[in-house]
Amino acid sequence: FAVLVASMVFFATPVRSMRVAIQGSGISAATCAKLLSQNGHDVTVFEAGRGPGGRMSTRRASPTGTKGADAAVDFQWDHGAQYFSPKTEAFARVIDDWCALGFAAAWEGHHCMWSEQGGVVPDAKAALATRYAG
């Protein structure tokens, strides 16, 4: 939805500069914010979580329930998708920008699958695409 709104603003002519608020900082909101700001709009992103990423972000927790900057992080897990992959050159360029800014990095996880003989074996197709996490 956010990208749809950004594209409507982006392609409308003429467009005067607007102040835009974006709720959340998931992948669509980040793309929307970038498109809008590149086209002269004043964009503010509001995020309720500890950092950007939305459902793509990694959750961190302490079994003691301690919260805040001083809390010891004893474990973490991926809340939503573990990674994302560009399917188009345009999105690959966006990801390159995110990597340069430190918002994303290549994901070096191991992909496995169940073999017909039983047990887990590496997934050979997994090496065909670069995957990223933010």
Side-chain angles (χ1 to χ4, degrees):
F1 174 74
V3 174
L4 174 62
V5 171
S7 64
M8 289 184 332
V9 172
F10 177 73
F11 291 111
T13 54
V15 175
R16 63 180 177 81
S17 181
M18 297 185 298
R19 292 180 64 205
V20 179
I22 298 176
Q23 177 62 45
S25 63
I27 200 163
S28 292
T31 303
C32 180
K34 180 176 179 172
L35 284 171
L36 289 168
S37 64
Q38 284 179 333
N39 288 281
H41 301 287
D42 181 19
V43 179
T44 303
V45 177
F46 296 92
E47 174 57 55
R50 64 157 184 81
R55 290 185 293 159
M56 298 283 294
S57 67
T58 298
R59 304 293 189 231
R60 294 168 177 83
S62 167
T64 62
T66 312
K67 295 182 180 179
D70 297 328
V73 176
D74 295 318
F75 55 92
Q76 63 185 28
W77 69 97
D78 291 323
H79 178 68
Q82 289 77 29
Y83 59 84
F84 55 93
S85 300
K87 303 291 186 229
T88 67
E89 272 304 310
F91 188 45
R93 287 191 300 274
V94 170
I95 294 171
D96 288 343
D97 290 345
W98 291 346
C99 290
L101 293 168
F103 297 155
W107 185 74
E108 303 296 334
H110 299 284
H111 288 259
C112 298
M113 57 187 212
W114 289 105
S115 77
E116 292 180 11
Q117 293 77 30
V120 178
V121 297
D123 182 359
K125 288 191 251 178
L128 300 177
T130 304
R131 291 166 173 85
Y132 297 89

